[in-house]
C-alpha cells in the first residue's frame, strides 16, 4: 500500500506554487517536508490528500490515480492534521476523535460499537483516554493537538499527513507530538520548520524551495551547511557528520557570503 506523487505541479494566479515535485515515501516511514515559508510544503500536502487537483503530474494511491479512487475511499485511507486545527468548543475529547469515523459511517447514522472501539483505541494511543469526557477547549495546546491526531487515527488511516503539527507548541509538547507520530504504524508525511526536530524524528527528508524539490534523502544526507545557506540564506554549523548521523544544527549570526 502506498501514496506517491509523480512530478506534480499546482499554480495559483499564474504562479507555480508546486513545480514538478515527486515523493514516494516507503510504507511505515516518516518523511519530513522542509523549506522556508512559501516553499510549497502545505500545498504539496493538500495535493497528496486530494484536497486539490494537480495541474500536472499525478498523485497515486496503491497505483491508482487519486482522482479515480473516490473521495470516501481516500478519506478512509488518508488522514490530515492541519496546523492549529480548530474544533467546535462544546465537543468533548471523545467527540472530537469521533469525527474521524465519519468516512466509515452512513449519513446520519449513530456511532456503532466498532466506531466507539476505534475512538477508544485512538485516545489510548495518544495518551488521552482519561480525558475522553472533558471539553476539548479545556485542554492545553499540546493536548488539543494530540486530540486532533486521535481524530486522524480513528479514521484507521494507512497514510497520515501533518502540516506543521508542532506550530506554537512549547518544546516539551513538540517532542511529545513528533515522538508519537514517529512511533505510529502509518506512513507519515509531516511539514516542519525546525531542522533539528526533523533530524531527530524523520526517516527521510524532502526540501522545497520556490515550489521545487532541491534535496531528498536521509537527514544526514540532506541537512548540510551548504544546503542551509542555499535554501534558508543563513549560516549554520552541522554536527556530527556521517552517513549514520542524526545531525544537529547550530545557527550562526550573519548571512552566508
Amino acid at each position: 500500500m502506498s501514496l506517491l506523487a509523480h512530478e506534480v505541479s499546482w499554480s495559483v494566479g499564474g504562479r507555480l506554487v508546486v513545480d514538478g515535485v515527486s515523493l514516494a515515501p516507503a510504507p511505515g516511514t516518516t518523511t519530513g517536508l522542509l523549506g522556508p515559508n512559501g516553499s510549497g510544503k502545505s500545498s504539496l500536502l493538500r495535493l497528496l490528500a486530494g484536497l486539490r487537483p494537480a495541474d500536472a503530474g499525478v498523485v497515486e494511491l496503491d497505483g491508482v490515480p487519486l482522482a479515480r479512487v473516490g473521495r470516501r475511499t481516500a478519506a478512509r485511507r488518508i488522514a490530515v492534521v492541519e496546523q492549529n486545527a480548530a474544533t467546535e468548543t462544546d465537543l468533548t475529547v471523545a467527540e472530537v476523535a469521533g469525527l474521524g469515523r465519519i468516512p466509515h459511517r452512513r449519513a446520519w447514522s449513530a456511532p456503532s460499537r466498532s466506531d466507539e472501539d476505534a475512538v477508544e483505541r485512538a485516545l489510548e494511543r495518544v495518551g488521552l483516554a482519561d480525558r475522553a469526557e472533558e471539553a476539548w477547549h479545556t485542554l492545553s495546546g499540546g493536548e488539543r493537538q494530540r486530540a486532533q491526531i486521535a481524530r486522524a487515527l480513528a479514521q484507521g488511516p494507512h497514510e497520515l499527513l501533518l502540516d506543521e503539527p508542532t506550530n506554537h507548541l512549547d518544546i516539551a509538547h513538540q517532542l511529545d507530538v513528533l515522538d508519537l507520530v514517529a512511533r505510529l504504524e502509518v506512513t507519515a508525511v509531516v511539514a516542519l520548520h525546525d531542522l533539528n526536530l526533523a533530524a531527530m524524528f524523520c526517516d527521510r527528508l524532502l526540501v522545497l524551495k520556490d515550489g521545487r524539490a532541491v534535496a531528498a534523502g536521509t537527514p544526514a544526507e540532506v541537512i548540510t551547511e551548504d544546503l542551509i545557506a542555499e535554501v534558508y540564506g543563513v549560516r549554520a554549523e552541522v554536527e556530527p557528520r556521517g552517513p549514520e548521523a542524526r545531525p544537529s544544527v547550530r545557527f550562526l549570526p550573519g548571512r552566508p557570503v
Side-chain angles (χ1 to χ4, degrees):
M1 295 183 178
S2 61
L3 176 70
L4 63 85
H6 180 66
E7 296 185 356
V8 294
S9 296
W10 183 76
S11 60
V12 58
R15 182 176 72 88
L16 271 172
V17 179
V18 178
D19 185 3
V21 175
S22 296
L23 177 66
T29 62
T30 299
T31 298
L33 299 182
L34 297 177
N37 288 338
S39 60
K41 301 187 300 294
S42 296
S43 295
L44 178 58
L45 286 177
R46 291 185 174 91
L47 293 174
L48 288 169
L51 298 179
R52 59 177 52 142
D55 295 332
V58 63
V59 175
E60 294 183 352
L61 186 62
D62 298 341
V64 179
L66 199 56
R68 287 173 31 203
V69 169
R71 184 167 297 180
R72 190 175 184 85
T73 299
R76 291 176 175 178
R77 277 282 306 273
I78 305 168
V80 180
V81 177
E82 298 184 2
Q83 57 177 308
N84 300 322
T87 301
E88 295 297 328
T89 56
D90 59 348
L91 295 181
T92 67
V93 174
E95 288 169 336
V96 169
L99 297 174
R101 297 303 299 168
I102 291 175
H104 298 272
R105 289 160 47 191
R106 294 181 180 178
W108 312 113
S109 64
S112 65
R113 181 67 249 180
S114 63
D115 293 325
E116 295 171 354
D117 289 343
V119 168
E120 290 176 8
R121 289 194 301 270
L123 291 176
E124 185 69 36
R125 291 175 79 181
V126 302
L128 289 176
D130 60 341
R131 313 290 295 276
E133 300 309 315
E134 296 184 23
W136 180 82
H137 74 276
T138 65
L139 302 181
S140 69
E143 290 167 338
R144 290 186 189 188
Q145 196 68 306
R146 294 213 308 270
Q148 294 295 344
I149 294 174
R151 172 193 54 76
L153 294 180
Q155 288 179 232
H158 294 279
E159 290 80 22
L160 180 61
L161 310 178
L162 305 102
D163 189 4
E164 295 289 351
T166 59
N167 198 27
H168 302 312
L169 299 183
D170 61 41
I171 187 60
H173 286 118
Q174 291 178 28
L175 294 170
D176 286 346
V177 167
L178 290 177
D179 181 62
L180 168 65
V181 171
R183 288 187 289 105
L184 294 173
E185 295 178 357
V186 297
T187 303
V189 181
V190 52
L192 293 167
H193 273 302
D194 192 303
L195 301 183
N196 286 309
L197 290 177
M200 289 174 66
F201 293 105
C202 297
D203 302 299
R204 306 277 296 182
L205 300 174
L206 176 68
V207 183
L208 302 178
K209 181 182 180 183
D210 298 326
R212 296 190 63 83
V214 296
T218 66
E221 292 169 336
V222 168
I223 299 178
T224 66
E225 294 167 3
D226 288 344
L227 179 128
I228 293 170
E230 174 191 351
V231 173
Y232 294 94
V234 297
R235 297 173 60 229
E237 291 181 348
V238 178
E239 294 289 349
R241 298 177 176 87
E244 303 300 324
R246 288 281 181 174
S248 177
V249 179
R250 184 170 73 90
F251 294 101
L252 303 174
R255 295 285 182 169
V257 177

